[in-house]
Amino acid sequence: MKMQGNTILITGGGSGIGEALAHRLHDLGNRVLIAGRRLQALKAAAAGRNQIVPLELDADDPQAVEAFARQVIADNPALNVLVNNAGIMRMEALDRRRDLGNAEATIRTNLLGPIRLTNAFIDHLVNQPDAAIINCTSGLAFVPLVATPTYSATKAALHSYTVSLREALKGKVEVIELAPPAVQTGLTPGQETREGYMPLADFADETLSILSAQPTPPEILVKRVGFLRFAESEGRFAETLAALNPKG
């Protein structure tokens, strides 16, 4: 992936990983559009950086996504990189009947959101030089956290979707998967300071270092996520699942 001179759209760019990546990519010399539901958070993330542009978007609304894409392309014809980063993580108990609102919301945001955004921009991206799509999945795509089953499942599905997308767009658009470990962000309450989670700045720095390699790896994997990403191929899936989900 080219690291300078891009016009980049990042969903979920108002906080956490999206904001950290937006700042670093902006500082490398890129124009960065950050999109999400919370306009005030987006404006705060863009403060002091004149080439970061906040844009309000409800990615759960199919019509809103299509209208958003048309406007973004009209206003930013040089757009060549899409980063599908927006996501939510909800706790769910599987051992009793429950309301499925959290599960359905997670699927809409984490899986249908990236599919809709990619679909809305794909005809534009295939005609752009140095085009790339980055899908943010998770280490939990490879070993699930039982307390967040739908989150883990959506990330596993997005991993698979990204593999298909990469093959379908070979030679046209570079398709990259970013699979973070547990990072200190606001994804869940108290996570910003949770012990044992990777500091956000360290994650962003290591991610940018890997992303800038030439050729860019198809999967951006910081060292900490290897414990999850390679559990099955290294023959330790059962032990890793148990370690991630201790009983009692």
Side-chain angles (χ1 to χ4, degrees), residues 19-145:
E19 180 183 13
L21 294 180
H23 287 174
R24 281 158 176 76
L25 289 167
H26 166 269
D27 293 346
L28 286 174
N30 298 287
R31 176 174 171 82
V32 184
L33 317 175
I34 52 174
R37 293 187 182 92
R38 299 178 298 132
L39 187 57
Q40 289 307 310
L42 295 167
K43 288 179 177 179
R49 290 176 162 87
N50 62 1
Q51 286 300 305
I52 295 185
V53 181
L55 300 170
E56 195 167 10
L57 168 66
D58 180 3
D60 290 354
D61 182 339
Q63 286 72 39
V65 169
E66 291 295 328
F68 173 82
R70 288 192 296 270
Q71 190 63 56
V72 167
I73 292 167
D75 294 342
N76 303 273
L79 178 77
N80 65 313
V81 179
L82 170 63
V83 182
N84 286 306
N85 165 75
I88 60 173
M89 187 178 197
R90 306 276 174 83
M91 302 293 179
E92 301 171 69
L94 297 181
D95 58 351
R96 65 183 73 92
R97 183 179 174 87
R98 69 195 194 283
D99 181 274
L100 292 178
N102 281 336
E104 291 166 357
T106 301
I107 292 167
R108 283 195 302 272
T109 299
N110 294 5
L111 183 57
L112 289 177
I115 291 173
R116 286 171 177 154
L117 263 295
T118 301
N119 185 61
F121 283 101
I122 194 62
D123 288 345
H124 174 78
L125 290 173
V126 295
N127 290 304
Q128 292 297 106
D130 302 305
I133 297 169
I134 301 175
N135 287 336
C136 186
T137 62
S138 170
L140 298 180
F142 306 100
V143 183
L145 183 64

Side-chain angles (χ1 to χ4, degrees), residues 94 139-149 152 227-232 235-247:
L94 297 181
L140 298 180
F142 306 100
V143 183
L145 183 64
V146 174
T148 60
S152 301
F227 170 71
L228 299 173
R229 176 63 182 94
F230 303 115
E232 187 166 15
R236 50 178 178 79
F237 181 86
E239 305 95 281
T240 304
L241 181 65
L244 189 63
N245 300 282
K247 301 279 188 183

